[in-house]
């Protein structure tokens, strides 16, 4: 994939964590469809409208389609033109890694988790990741991000579940 970093996003990060990644996983196949549409239409707003109008992702309702398409396109916008081009011909593993990278760039919470938990674990040869690691990270971040303090336990558990799913889909976390 080359020399990609978490900081290559052209978008500014705000101090408040964006937590809308809870809508699903990495959406690798869906990202592929939307990138193809972008290569034809050339404008992300047009891609969103076209995908919703045609129910490109085959979701049950227009509202859930619109929400998912917006989130996926927001992630894809963080990719460079080279990355978008590469994605179209990439194998499934590389596509998943690109989606993970885009998620890290789009959601500071995920990027921070990747650098503060996953990278630290890897650097210290700790190859397991459990719920306690997520909970410890979450509690630590809640001190600096008040939007985390107000979340219900069920929302927190959902975010943990989605993040772990994304790690599995990217091949970073396995059952082993």
């Amino acid at each position: 994939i080359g020399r990609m970093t978490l900081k290559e996003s052209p978008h500014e990060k705000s101090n408040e964590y964006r937590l809308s990644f809870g809508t699903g996983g990495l959406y690798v196949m869906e990202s592929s469809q939307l990138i193809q549409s972008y290569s034809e239409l050339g404008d992300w707003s047009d891609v969103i409208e076209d995908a919703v109008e045609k129910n490109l992702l085959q979701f049950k309702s227009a509202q859930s389609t619109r929400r998912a398409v917006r989130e996926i396109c927001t992630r894809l916008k963080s990719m460079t033109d080279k990355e978008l081009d590469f994605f179209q011909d990439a194998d499934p593993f590389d596509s998943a890694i690109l989606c993970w990278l885009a998620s890290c760039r789009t959601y500071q919470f995920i990027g921070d988790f990747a650098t503060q938990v996953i990278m630290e674990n890897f650097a210290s040869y700790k190859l397991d990741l459990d719920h306690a690691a997520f909970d410890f990270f979450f509690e630590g971040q809640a001190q600096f991000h008040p939007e985390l303090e107000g979340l219900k336990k069920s929302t927190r558990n959902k975010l943990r579940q989605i993040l772990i799913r994304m790690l599995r889909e990217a091949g970073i976390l396995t059952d082993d």
Side-chain angles (χ1 to χ4, degrees), residues 59-70:
F59 284 32
K60 291 182 181 180
S61 74
Q63 184 179 2
S64 60
T65 299
R66 182 172 296 284
R67 183 174 50 249
V69 168
R70 273 195 195 137

Side-chain angles (χ1 to χ4, degrees), residues 101-115:
L101 181 63
S103 296
C104 288
R105 290 174 178 164
T106 303
Y107 308 104
Q108 185 181 353
F109 181 87
I110 294 176
D112 288 349
F113 186 82
T115 56

